[in-house]
C-alpha cells in the first residue's frame, strides 16, 4: 500500500526557473499553507544532496506549530528536488518535486510518501484518508503559488 499522493500543475515557465523557486527553501513560507518558515542548517545557503534545513510547520494551517529537521535527498536543477523529514535519525516522509518540460513550459509534480514503518502504516490505515486530503489540497495550493511567481518572473 502506497502511503502518499501527488499533484501536477503546468506552469508557463522554464524547468530551471520553477526549480529555483522550489529549491530555495527560504521561499517555502511563501508557497506552503502549512510550512510557514524554513532555514538552512550547518552553514548551508543553497540546496545540495545531504544539506539539512529546518522547517516550521503550522499543522493544518491552525496548529500546533513545531520545527522539523529535513535533509535534501535529490537535487538536480530543472529536474528534481526532494527532501526527507527526519525524526530521531530516520526519514518519516519524503517530499519530492519533479519538473518535466511540457510544451512551452513545465509540468511540476509535488508528491509525498510516508516511510513504511509500522506506526506510520497504522496511522495511514486509520487517518490516512483525512491527512491525504489535506496534503493534496496543500500541494495544489503550493504549486499554484509557485506557478504565480514563476509566470510573473
Amino acid at each position: 500500500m502506497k502511503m502518499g499522493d501527488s499533484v501536477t500543475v503546468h506552469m508557463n515557465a522554464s524547468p530551471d526557473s520553477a526549480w529555483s523557486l522550489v529549491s530555495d527553501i527560504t521561499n517555502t513560507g511563501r508557497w506552503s499553507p502549512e510550512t510557514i518558515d524554513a532555514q538552512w542548517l550547518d552553514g548551508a545557503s543553497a540546496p545540495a544532496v545531504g544539506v539539512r534545513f529546518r522547517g516550521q510547520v503550522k499543522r493544518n494551517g491552525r496548529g500546533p506549530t513545531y520545527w522539523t529537521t529535513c535533509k535534501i535527498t535529490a537535487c538536480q536543477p530543472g529536474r528534481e528536488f526532494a527532501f526527507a523529514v527526519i525524526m530521531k535519525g530516520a526519514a518519516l516522509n519524503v517530499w519530492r518535486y519533479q519538473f518535466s518540460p511540457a510544451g512551452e513550459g513545465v509540468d511540476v509534480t509535488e508528491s509525498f510518501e510516508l516511510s513504511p514503518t509500522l506506526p506510520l502504516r497504522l496511522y495511514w490505515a486509520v487517518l490516512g484518508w483525512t491527512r491525504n486530503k489535506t496534503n493534496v489540497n496543500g500541494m495544489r495550493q503550493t504549486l499554484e503559488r509557485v506557478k504565480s511567481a514563476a509566470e510573473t518572473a
Side-chain angles (χ1 to χ4, degrees), residues 24-79:
D24 178 357
I25 60 92
T26 63
N27 282 325
T28 304
R30 293 176 57 196
W31 319 136
S32 173
E34 283 194 336
T35 303
I36 57 176
D37 188 20
Q39 301 168 355
W40 298 110
L41 294 175
D42 309 319
S45 61
V49 171
V51 165
R52 294 180 336 123
F53 64 93
R54 68 184 195 146
Q56 186 178 25
V57 177
K58 190 171 191 176
R59 189 71 163 189
N60 299 316
R62 295 184 304 274
T65 301
Y66 54 91
W67 287 94
T68 61
T69 298
C70 303
K71 185 176 183 179
I72 297 173
T73 58
C75 190
Q76 299 174 315
R79 296 185 61 198

Side-chain angles (χ1 to χ4, degrees), residues 42-127:
D42 309 319
S45 61
V49 171
V51 165
R52 294 180 336 123
F53 64 93
R54 68 184 195 146
Q56 186 178 25
V57 177
K58 190 171 191 176
R59 189 71 163 189
N60 299 316
R62 295 184 304 274
T65 301
Y66 54 91
W67 287 94
T68 61
T69 298
C70 303
K71 185 176 183 179
I72 297 173
T73 58
C75 190
Q76 299 174 315
R79 296 185 61 198
E80 183 178 27
F81 178 72
F83 60 89
V85 178
I86 307 295
M87 181 178 279
K88 296 182 182 177
L92 295 179
N93 189 359
V94 174
W95 291 91
R96 183 173 312 280
Y97 297 85
Q98 295 171 299
F99 304 81
S100 303
E104 294 185 23
V106 60
D107 287 339
V108 181
T109 300
E110 180 179 3
S111 64
F112 76 96
E113 187 166 1
L114 297 176
S115 296
T117 64
L118 179 59
L120 288 174
R121 287 196 318 258
L122 292 172
Y123 164 77
W124 193 254
V126 175
L127 295 172

